[in-house]
Amino acid sequence: MKRDFLNYKIAELSELQDDAKRKAIAYFHERITAFNPELNAFLEVLPLSANYSSGSLSGIPYALKDNILARGTRTTCASDILKDYISPYDATVTARLKAEGAVLMGKTNLDEFAMGSSTENSAFGPSKNPWDLNRIPGGSSGGSAAAVAAGLVPFALGSDTGGSVRQPAAFCGVVGYKPSYGLVSRYGLVAFASSLDQIGPLTRCVDDAYAVFKTIARKDINDATTINNGVNLKANDLPKIDLKGIRIAVPSDALDFEGLDERVKSRFLEFVERLTEKGAKVSFIELGILKYVVATYYLIAPGEASSNLSRYDGVRYGERVESENYEEMIKKNRDIGFGDEVKRRILLGTFTLSSAYYDAYYRRALKIRRIISDRINKVLQEHDFILNPTTPTLPGKIGEISDPLTYYLMDIYTIPANLAGMPAISVPIDPVDGLPVGVQFMGKRLSDLQLLSVAKEAEKLSGAYENGLAKLPERWLHV
């Protein structure tokens, strides 16, 4: 039987002969051209190119979230203020993928400056969920998730500040992985909240996530937060792990959260039962921090964002609107250039960093962050992994939610990993009413290989896969 390129893992695509690789690149380019007008997953599609070097990802097409730099391409961050900005250099992750032969196909849509949970906050229109075009793909890496879930590229990179890789992965039925903080360079990633941001891959299986992770992870002299020798990345394959005896903690307070959809909860508990049948030791524990994580995140992240985004003033970056004086010019530039969600977070961050309220809000949030981190570390001293639903809800309809707090709470299960710097991965499980559901494993800091290994075993218990790859919606199977 003739195999379609959609049925190949990354390792199999990289082993094709040169002629077949060129056909594969043309095949995915044709799919992007045909399907992107419906999905709005890409903000920029690059011309077809068959130039690639040898390496572990030789000839593998991929996409970059449009807040990651690739020399000569537009990097808009889905914002009007950067709509004409051309990247002058490659981000470290881009350069490393290029050196291993990966082929950049284009830049993907996002919530403006990665601020949002739906990809509705893009100045260039929302992306659509491939499983239901009336629904959101999640955010802020919604374009990257939609591109992978519709089979437009074998993998894409996103950035994860509070769950922005894992949440859209869950909504679109693909794998989303956030490495431990410090393993992947953020050089060339447009900063949102520097102490939380991390670049991670979206793929159709854990093996592919590992292949991308091995390529982009290691020390970078351009990013002082990266570390040496954190994880052994020399092995071709993930270490094998036996579910029998694995100690998994399930936070009962996550299951008691009033915003948790009963259908998501039911699927999650079915999956936990399968883990138990395979010999995993599952304990329901009281994590005790979930009610604090959203408030803590929305004091720290906007504070850092208000500082990071101060550079977009029409002088150093952004389109300039002429005015009578300097102050008026900056006000006009920022008012015209930024969308509502970005303005909301800059105002919130500026308020919490102000001298009158710094101790009352920001400093207190930093203390709570430490308490949250300590609690997670204590649980992970007694267990190998923490498991919970990736999101409390199914993907909502576009325009359905107008309350920002509702969107903020959609990240309640993913934020802890960012606050504590832990690795976490979302894996799709059996869908509900035709819509994807994801579960999240979180491990100890720098336990990335063990985390990926247990996620690979979890894939075998999921009904969301076929021949080792996450299923694609029927609508997108043929150009």
Side-chain angles (χ1 to χ4, degrees):
M1 185 179 70
K2 183 181 177 182
R3 292 183 68 190
D4 192 293
F5 290 123
L6 290 175
N7 298 322
Y8 284 80
K9 289 186 176 182
I10 285 178
E12 296 170 314
L13 283 170
S14 68
E15 291 173 355
L16 295 174
Q17 297 298 313
D18 284 349
D19 284 349
K21 285 180 182 175
R22 292 190 182 94
K23 288 179 182 176
I25 294 168
Y27 172 82
F28 284 105
H29 191 272
E30 184 181 5
R31 291 180 61 81
I32 294 170
T33 304
F35 294 140
N36 193 53
E38 288 183 89
L39 292 165
N40 199 29
F42 282 81
L43 294 179
E44 181 180 14
V45 180
L46 299 178
L48 179 61
S49 170
N51 295 323
Y52 54 85
S53 61
S54 60
S56 62
L57 299 180
S58 177
I60 308 298
Y62 79 101
L64 276 181
K65 185 176 180 178
D66 200 27
N67 61 349
I68 302 173
L69 271 61
R71 186 177 180 180
T73 67
R74 287 199 312 161
T75 300
T76 68
C77 295
S79 177
D80 274 332
I81 208 164
L82 287 177
K83 61 184 178 184
D84 297 319
Y85 180 73
I86 304 297
S87 304
Y89 62 92
D90 282 330
T92 295
V93 292
T94 311
R96 288 177 177 173
L97 289 171
K98 186 187 295 183
E100 289 297 324
V103 180
L104 179 61
M105 307 296 277
K107 308 292 288 294
T108 52
N109 205 359
L110 65 154
D111 286 301
E112 185 178 6
F113 283 101
M115 297 181 189
S117 303
S118 67
T119 312
E120 292 172 293
N121 300 312
S122 166
F124 309 108
S127 292
K128 312 287 179 61
N129 191 315
W131 291 91
D132 181 344
L133 292 176
N134 294 313
R135 295 180 184 272
I136 59 173
S140 63
S141 306
S144 291
V148 175
L152 305 191
V153 281
F155 78 92
L157 290 189
S159 63
D160 191 315
T161 307
S164 289
V165 163
R166 292 159 285 153
Q167 187 251 38
F171 279 175
C172 291
V174 295
V175 173
Y177 164 47
K178 185 199 85 69
S180 294
Y181 186 84
L183 288 183
V184 177
S185 171
R186 293 177 295 107
Y187 179 71
L189 167 69
V190 178
F192 163 18
S194 304
S195 73
L196 302 165
D197 294 338
Q198 187 67 105
I199 294 174
L202 293 113
T203 61
R204 290 178 58 203
C205 67
V206 173
D207 278 337
D208 286 359
Y210 177 55
V212 177
F213 171 61
K214 277 198 308 178
T215 304
I216 62 176
R218 62 184 181 273
K219 175 74 177 174
D220 177 17
I221 59 171
N222 292 313
D223 181 353
T225 63
T226 54
I227 56 176
N228 263 325
N229 304 321
V231 174
N232 179 9
L233 298 171
K234 294 180 179 177
N236 288 328
D237 299 316
L238 283 167
K240 294 190 181 303
I241 195 168
D242 190 347
L243 287 177
K244 190 174 182 180
I246 290 287
R247 300 166 302 167
I248 296 177
V250 174
S252 55
D253 35 348
L255 301 181
D256 293 336
F257 173 55
E258 61 180 12
L260 176 59
D261 188 304
E262 284 298 324
R263 296 168 295 177
V264 174
K265 181 177 179 179
S266 175
R267 280 288 183 272
F268 173 76
L269 290 175
E270 289 172 12
F271 182 74
V272 170
E273 185 64 29
R274 292 176 198 171
L275 286 171
T276 305
E277 290 171 358
K278 290 293 181 182
K281 295 181 178 178
V282 178
S283 305
F284 289 85
I285 55 105
E286 187 74 19
L287 194 55
I289 57 169
L290 285 177
K291 59 185 175 183
Y292 305 115
V293 298
V294 172
T296 303
Y297 176 85
Y298 280 98
L299 288 170
I300 293 174
E304 295 186 22
S306 68
S307 175
N308 281 327
L309 269 61
S310 65
R311 73 194 71 175
Y312 305 107
D313 54 9
V315 178
R316 288 166 289 186
Y317 295 95
E319 193 168 348
R320 184 175 303 180
V321 178
E322 298 301 332
S323 301
E324 293 182 358
N325 58 63
Y326 176 74
E327 187 175 348
E328 192 67 22
M329 179 194 70
I330 291 179
K331 285 181 180 177
K332 285 185 178 179
N333 287 333
R334 295 167 70 81
D335 185 39
I336 294 171
F338 287 139
D340 290 343
E341 183 61 29
V342 173
K343 290 175 186 172
R344 182 182 295 118
R345 298 196 192 195
I346 289 175
L347 287 170
L348 178 61
T350 305
F351 176 79
T352 58
L353 290 180
S354 63
S355 59
Y357 295 100
Y358 181 88
D359 285 337
Y361 293 108
Y362 191 77
R363 188 185 298 277
R364 185 169 295 182
L366 294 178
K367 291 179 180 176
I368 300 298
R369 180 180 187 174
R370 169 52 60 189
I371 292 171
I372 290 170
S373 182
D374 288 347
R375 175 56 184 157
I376 292 172
N377 275 311
K378 181 171 175 51
V379 171
L380 288 173
Q381 285 174 2
E382 300 164 354
H383 302 83
D384 298 304
F385 305 100
I386 297 173
L387 175 68
N388 50 254
T390 307
T391 67
T393 66
L394 296 168
K397 292 185 177 178
I398 293 172
E400 182 180 44
I401 302 172
S402 57
D403 173 21
L405 182 59
T406 302
Y407 275 125
Y408 297 168
L409 288 171
M410 287 163 64
D411 294 336
I412 189 169
Y413 298 149
T414 53
I415 286 173
N418 298 83
L419 291 174
M422 305 299 191
I425 187 168
S426 177
V427 176
I429 58 173
D430 297 54
V432 170
D433 299 333
L435 295 173
V437 176
V439 296
Q440 175 188 265
F441 288 89
M442 177 166 58
K444 301 178 182 74
R445 181 165 160 72
L446 304 182
S447 69
D448 292 62
L449 295 189
Q450 292 90 336
L451 180 77
L452 290 164
S453 293
V454 78
K456 182 176 177 179
E457 290 301 310
E459 288 181 318
K460 300 173 183 174
L461 307 179
S462 168
Y465 289 80
E466 189 171 60
N467 298 322
L469 289 167
K471 295 176 184 174
L472 301 182
E474 181 71 25
R475 177 191 181 103
W476 314 105
L477 289 182
H478 306 287
V479 176

